[in-house]
Amino acid sequence: NAGVTQTPKFRILKIGQSMTLQCTQDMNHNYMYWYRQDPGMGLKLIYYSVGAGITDKGEVPNGYNVSRSTTEDFPLRLELAAPSQTSVYFCASLGGGSFGTGELFFGEGSRLTVL
Amino acid sequence: GNSVTQMEGPVTLSEEAFLTINCTYTATGYPSLFWYVQYPGEGLQLLLKATKADDKGSNKGFEATYRKETTSFHLEKGSVQVSDSAVYFCALGIQGAQKLVFGQGTRLTINP
């Protein structure tokens, strides 16, 4: 069981370039999330989805876009990359129903540097 | 609103020392409480959880008790090991909510 898989693990972008971070889960979870973690800092929620076709903004959505065409996939797109988007990005999915008893499963992270 | 406050880090201890990482919360309703751990270079993983007042979560020698009267969920371990070096996140979730609320994380370093 692969869990949550993110690609790529590392990427260097030039300012103004665009890219997509891929996230796939094989646990049939409805809820999925994208977080960013800046060096020495906690997690900030970028976007989340409660099911295929449904997405919503988190705390820091500016400069990002998401889509959710299937239950399994939740890609995060960066448009016009900026140095402020240098961070480690984590995708997660929620198991076991609502947060009353559920557990978040995280991918290994994608380290992005914008120069 | 809902929020989680953790003790400031970083925390540095010697092997076999006693560990406490403080976590307090504010919440509307009756939250479940979680501790997540992030080892170097990895994503977060659930360490333990408690779903109602006075519950004790435990795993890998770590424990935390859900204290409603003090709105706290402090993480403890009696004898830490070098392998416990990681960042620890306290979090809360509300039944039916769509998002987990995380604390800012506490970096723990254990020296041999």
Side-chain angles (χ1 to χ4, degrees), chain B:
Chain B
N2 301 319
S3 67
V4 175
T5 302
Q6 292 181 231
M7 69 184 286
E8 293 277 338
V11 175
T12 302
L13 296 172
S14 297
E15 206 165 20
E16 299 183 2
F18 184 86
L19 168 71
T20 300
I21 300 177
N22 290 338
C23 172
T24 57
Y25 69 90
T26 57
T28 54
Y30 301 97
S32 293
L33 300 171
F34 306 84
W35 276 102
Y36 280 80
V37 59
Q38 183 181 28
Y39 298 106
E42 299 183 9
L44 282 70
Q45 57 186 274
L46 181 66
L47 179 61
L48 54 83
K49 68 181 182 183
T51 58
K52 61 183 187 296
D54 299 325
D55 269 3
K56 178 185 284 187
S58 61
N59 187 23
K60 298 183 180 180
F62 291 89
E63 293 182 340
T65 302
Y66 187 161
R67 302 283 188 202
K68 187 178 177 183
E69 63 277 12
T70 54
T71 62
S72 65
F73 192 55
H74 304 322
L75 183 68
E76 297 182 336
K77 186 174 185 182
S79 177
V80 293
Q81 305 301 312
V82 172
S83 57
D84 294 327
S85 297
V87 181
Y88 293 81
F89 292 89
C90 186
L92 70 83
I94 302 292
Q95 186 77 29
Q98 297 174 337
K99 295 172 285 184
L100 203 62
V101 177
F102 283 95
Q104 72 270 33
T106 301
R107 181 175 299 277
L108 173 67
T109 301
I110 308 300
N111 293 321

